[in-house]
Structure formats: structure tokens, C-alpha cells
Amino acid sequence: MDFRALVHSRRSVRGFVDEAVPKAVIREIIEDAKRAPSSMNSQPWHVHVLTGEPLEQVRRRNMEEMAAGKKPKRDIFTHGPYEGVHRTRQVDIAKQLFAAMGIARDDAAMRQDWVLRGFRQFDAPVSLVLTYDRVLDPGATCHFDLGALSYGIVLAAWDRGIGAVVNGQGISRSDIVREVARIPDDEAIMTCIAMGYPDEAFPANAVKSERQPADAFVRYVGFAED
């Protein structure tokens, strides 16, 4: 398999249609999402919206680094590979997606190409890079706030018929993202959100991830018996 050839491959795995998302619509989405809960109203977040040549540059350089065997360089601490039940869930959703896309177990090239989609931000026409004020590290509170903002962005986007995918792989080389987007050093890069109009004919877009029954992870304390 020619790994480097896959860096520039845009074969049959585009989940978005080739249509720009208007800047005015992105503004509306962020206006809605900024009402997300924030610890003591600290609002530690910043959003850098990339499209066009800057996004293509991030995509290309991120992929080239991966092809060269470089390690991720993220601003935030990551846990490393999943294990146990978390790994099982990761594998299960991969199986669902491969089945939907008709990617055979022995098709190494297509399987690798599918994995690499995340590093090129799913070929989306827009990427929102979410950062927070670095002075708030260490601590999880600002991370929680950005999680709330991320979910707000996703909901506001889908409400307008726009697909959105929270994507950590897209900023796996945060140094490249920082350089291209000219993100100040006093902001830590948390994640990005790939955004665009979804291709309804793309099989993977119909996949619904399996979730545990609520009773498997919820406890009710202090409620009267039925």
C-alpha cells in the first residue's frame, strides 16, 4: 500500500457535498452556541473558522506529517489508546461504518484511507478550531466549557441542515494549525469541528452509533419507590 499516495487521495469517502457554508450562517451558529453553560460565566473559549486555502494547507501538512511517521503534537493531555470496554465500543462503531461503506476486512488501502479521513477533517469545507485561554491550565473546568460550546455548535448546525463532526484528529498537529491560522500562543488548542452540508447518499451518514441503555450508567438516589 502506498501510504503517501493516500495523503492526497479524495476518493469515494467524502461525506459532505461540494458546497460552501455561508459565513453569515456560521455566525448564526456561533451566536446560538455561545449561550452554552460556562463555569461562573468565564467564557474561556475562542473560535477560529478556517476555509479555503488555509484549511487546505492544514489538511495537507497534517497528512504529510502522518505519512512521515511523525507523532501527534497536541496542546492538551491525551490518554493514549483506549482499552477494555472503551476499546470495544471504538471497534464496534468502526465495524458499523466499514459495513455501511462496503469496506472489506482485507481491503487495507480503503481501511487506511477511511482512518485518515479524520486527519484531513473529513474533507469538510469549513473547520472551526476551538481554543481556550491557556492561563486556565491545569484544570478540567475550561475543558468542560469547551465541550458544552462544541455540542452547542453541533446542535445549532444540524438545526440548519449543516453536518458537524467534533474532530480531535484534525488538530493532531496543533503546531501546524497554530501557524497557519495564526493562533496566539496564549490560547491552547482543544479540538476542531468539521462542518459542511451532508451528502445524504453517503452510506456512513446513515449509521447510528449504538449506545448503552440508560439504566446501565444512571443511578437514581433519593427517589420514592414506584
Side-chain angles (χ1 to χ4, degrees):
M1 176 178 59
D2 186 352
F3 188 87
R4 289 184 177 275
L6 291 176
V7 171
H8 303 289
S9 172
R10 302 286 178 81
R11 295 184 293 174
S12 60
V13 290
R14 293 182 64 94
F16 296 98
V17 299
D18 190 15
E19 181 180 347
V21 180
K23 185 177 180 180
V25 175
I26 299 172
R27 284 183 179 275
E28 291 178 5
I29 290 170
I30 296 173
E31 281 292 328
D32 285 353
K34 75 180 186 182
R35 301 307 308 178
S38 174
S39 174
M40 293 178 283
N41 199 34
S42 57
Q43 302 176 62
W45 46 61
H46 305 270
V47 182
H48 305 265
V49 186
L50 280 65
T51 193
E53 194 280 330
L55 177 54
E56 285 300 316
Q57 186 179 161
V58 168
R59 237 195 290 268
R60 174 181 56 78
R61 292 177 60 186
N62 192 30
M63 291 293 295
E64 288 175 348
E65 294 291 295
M66 295 302 300
K70 299 290 183 65
K71 293 182 178 180
K73 185 183 290 185
R74 297 187 62 178
D75 288 355
I76 62 171
F77 175 79
T78 56
H79 53 74
Y82 288 129
E83 297 179 357
V85 66
H86 305 106
R87 173 61 177 169
T88 299
R89 293 169 186 157
Q90 179 186 18
V91 170
D92 286 347
I93 188 61
K95 289 179 178 177
Q96 284 182 260
L97 290 167
F98 287 152
M101 294 299 298
I103 300 175
R105 186 176 183 84
D106 59 354
D107 190 344
M110 283 301 292
R111 290 171 75 90
Q112 185 65 67
D113 191 43
W114 180 267
V115 171
L116 293 178
R117 294 175 71 249
F119 293 104
R120 64 177 190 252
Q121 302 196 33
F122 306 102
D123 302 322
V126 176
S127 173
L128 281 64
V129 179
L130 274 57
T131 71
Y132 61 89
D133 296 316
R134 194 185 294 273
V135 70
L136 298 175
D137 271 338
T141 303
C142 58
H143 296 179
F144 184 91
D145 281 7
L146 260 75
L149 178 68
S150 296
Y151 193 40
I153 289 172
V154 170
L155 292 179
W158 277 109
D159 192 51
R160 292 166 172 80
I162 298 171
V165 184
V166 181
N167 173 226
Q169 288 177 308
I171 48 87
S172 59
R173 292 292 305 202
S174 292
D175 54 335
I176 293 173
V177 180
R178 183 179 303 282
E179 176 190 340
V180 175
R182 300 191 299 277
I183 297 174
D185 289 338
D186 61 1
E187 296 178 24
I189 298 173
M190 179 78 182
T191 194
C192 69
I193 300 175
M195 183 180 291
Y197 292 100
D199 180 358
E200 301 297 344
F202 187 67
N205 283 343
V207 172
K208 185 175 182 179
S209 60
E210 297 178 358
R211 297 298 170 104
Q212 297 183 80
D215 287 345
F217 62 90
V218 179
R219 293 177 60 242
Y220 296 95
V221 181
F223 288 85
E225 294 294 331
D226 292 337

